[in-house]
Amino acid sequence: MNIIKKFSNTTSNVIFNIINSVLVKGIAIIVAFLTIPAYIKYFDNNVTLGIWFTILSVLSWILNFDLGIGNGLRNRIVTTLAQKQEEKTKKYISSAYIFLLIIAVIVSIITCSLSLIIPWNNVFNVSNTDVSSADLTFAITIVLLSIMLQFILRIISSILYALQLAFIPNMLSLLTSIILLIFVMYSNAYLANHNIIALSLVYLLAVNLPLLITTLVIFKNRLRAFRPSIHFFDFDYAKDTLKTGSAFLGLQLEAMIINNTSIFLITWLLGSIYVVEYNIYFKVFSLVSTVFSLITVPIWSAVTKAQSEQNYLWVKKTIRVLQLIAIIFSVVQLMMLPIMQFLFDVWLKENSINVDYEIMILFSIEQSVVIWSGICASICNGLNELRLQFILMTIGAILIVPLAIVFTGILGGYYGVVLAHTIALLPYCIGQTIWLEKYISKNIIKVKKEAILK
C-alpha cells in the first residue's frame, strides 16, 4: 500500500481497484471452472444445458434496457461528489431509483405477460421431449423476473463505480456464482438434478440478494446522507440522467448485438447442442478479456475525473499502458495453445473434448480484438465522447447477423459465429483508435497553450 501512495490520487485509486478486482476475479475464475463440469452433471443432456446457457444470455439482454440511466448516473455523480454538491447528488440518486422503478414495473407486466404466450420451444429450436413447454415457460418467466429486479437493484453498481469502488460489483458477481455452484453441486450429490425450474429460482435469489444487501449497507453507512427518497425525486434530474444515459443506451444495445448474441445465433443457426462446446472454449479464452476488463472498469471513472481536471497527459499515459498490456495478454494467450488439451483434460475429466487448434487460434484472435475494443470503450466513455462510437458500433451491429449466417454456412460450424463477431468489431477498433490518438494529442496541446497564456 505504501507503494501505491507514491502515485497520484487518481492512479492510486485505479491501482487499488485493480489489485482488489484481480484477487476477487482469481477466485471467480476458479469457481467458473468448477461450475461448467457441475452443470454438465446437473443436466442429463447437452441440449438442456445449452438451453440454460441461452436463456441466461438472451434474457440478460434486457438489462441493457435501463435507458442508460446507470451509466448516466455514474458519470453525473462522479462530478457532483468531487465538487461536494450534496443536494444535486441526492436528487440524481433518488430520481434514478424512482424513475427506473416505474420503468421496471411497466416492463415486468409486459414481458411476463408475453412470456406466457410465446412458444419458447420454437424460439430455442428444442423439442418438447428434451424440455416440456410448461417447464421452459416457467423457468424463463422466473429468470425474467430476476432480471427485472436487477434492473433496479444494480443501480448500486453504478454508484460504486462512481465512488471508485469498482471491485465491489465483482465481489457481488462472485458471491452469485458461489451460491449457484453450491446449489448445483449439492443437487448433484443429494437431490434430484436436471430441474431447470429449481435452478431458475436459485438464480433469482443468488443474483438479487447480494445486490439488495449491498444497497442497504451502503445507504446505511457511507451514503447515509444520499439515501433515495421520493422527496428528492426531480423529473428534470431524471431527464438529465436519461439524456446523458441515452447515448450510452444506444452503445449498450449495439454492444449487446455484437458481443452477446453469439450463443443465440449458434442456437438459432445450428441448435442448442453446439452451445456447450462453444461455451467450453469461450470460458477458457474469455479469461483474457475478463481479466483485462478488471483493469479497464475503474479506468472509466478515473478518466472522467482526469478530464474534469484537464489532465489529458495522464489519459495518454494510461492509454499507452493499456495498449502494452493488451499486446502482452494476446501473445501469452497464443503461447498457451500447446498445453490446452492437457488443461481441458484436467478441467473436464471424462467430459473433456479434443481441442481443435484452428478453432483455438480463432478464439485467441477474437479475444484480442475484444480486449482492444475494451480500451477504446473505457477511455471514450470516461471522456463522454460517444458519437463516433455509436456510428462504428452501428456498422458492427449491422454486420454481425449476416456475417454469422454466411460464415456458418461456409464453415459448417459455430466457429463461423466467432469469425463474424471478430470482423464485426474491427471497424470500431480501428476507427476509434485513430480518433482517440488525435483527440488526446489535440487536447494536450490546447491545455499547454492555455497554461502558457496564464
Side-chain angles (χ1 to χ4, degrees), residues 15-33:
I15 293 173
F16 174 78
N17 276 285
I18 290 172
I19 291 172
N20 283 283
S21 295
V22 168
L23 292 173
V24 171
K25 202 63 183 183
I27 301 171
I29 287 169
I30 296 171
V31 172
F33 274 92

Side-chain angles (χ1 to χ4, degrees), residues 110-122:
I110 295 171
T111 54
C112 287
S113 299
L114 289 173
S115 174
L116 297 174
I117 61 174
I118 292 173
W120 289 111
N121 287 71
N122 294 336

Side-chain angles (χ1 to χ4, degrees), residues 128-233:
N128 280 300
T129 55
D130 289 314
V131 183
S132 73
S133 59
D135 285 354
L136 186 56
T137 298
F138 195 20
I140 289 175
T141 304
I142 293 169
V143 177
L144 192 58
L145 286 172
S146 173
I147 298 294
M148 289 297 98
L149 285 171
Q150 287 181 71
F151 202 53
I152 304 161
L153 294 174
R154 74 170 190 159
I155 295 177
I156 194 64
S157 294
S158 298
I159 293 171
L160 290 168
Y161 288 136
L163 294 171
Q164 297 193 47
L165 295 172
F167 69 95
I168 297 181
N170 289 324
M171 289 179 65
L172 300 180
S173 296
L174 171 60
L175 185 56
T176 296
S177 298
I178 291 174
I179 293 171
L180 285 170
L181 177 61
I182 290 172
F183 169 76
V184 171
M185 293 181 72
Y186 184 81
S187 296
N188 289 339
Y190 303 107
L191 303 176
N193 53 8
H194 63 261
N195 188 332
I196 196 169
I197 294 175
L199 185 58
S200 300
L201 288 169
V202 174
Y203 175 82
L204 185 150
L205 295 172
V207 170
N208 290 290
L209 272 180
L211 288 170
L212 176 60
I213 293 169
T214 302
T215 300
L216 295 175
V217 170
I218 291 294
F219 283 112
K220 187 177 180 180
N221 296 286
R222 181 163 180 172
L223 294 182
R224 188 181 183 86
F226 305 107
R227 282 183 294 183
S229 169
I230 188 69
H231 301 295
F232 288 102
F233 175 77

Side-chain angles (χ1 to χ4, degrees), residues 267-295:
T267 301
W268 176 49
L269 295 171
L270 299 167
S272 62
I273 193 169
Y274 293 94
V275 170
V276 177
E277 183 174 314
Y278 164 84
N279 219 41
I280 289 171
Y281 277 114
F282 179 78
K283 208 76 174 178
V284 173
F285 286 92
S286 64
L287 282 177
V288 177
S289 57
T290 300
V291 173
F292 192 80
S293 70
L294 302 178
I295 301 171

Side-chain angles (χ1 to χ4, degrees), residues 75 173 196 240 377 395:
N75 274 23
S173 296
I196 196 169
D240 181 54
I395 295 171

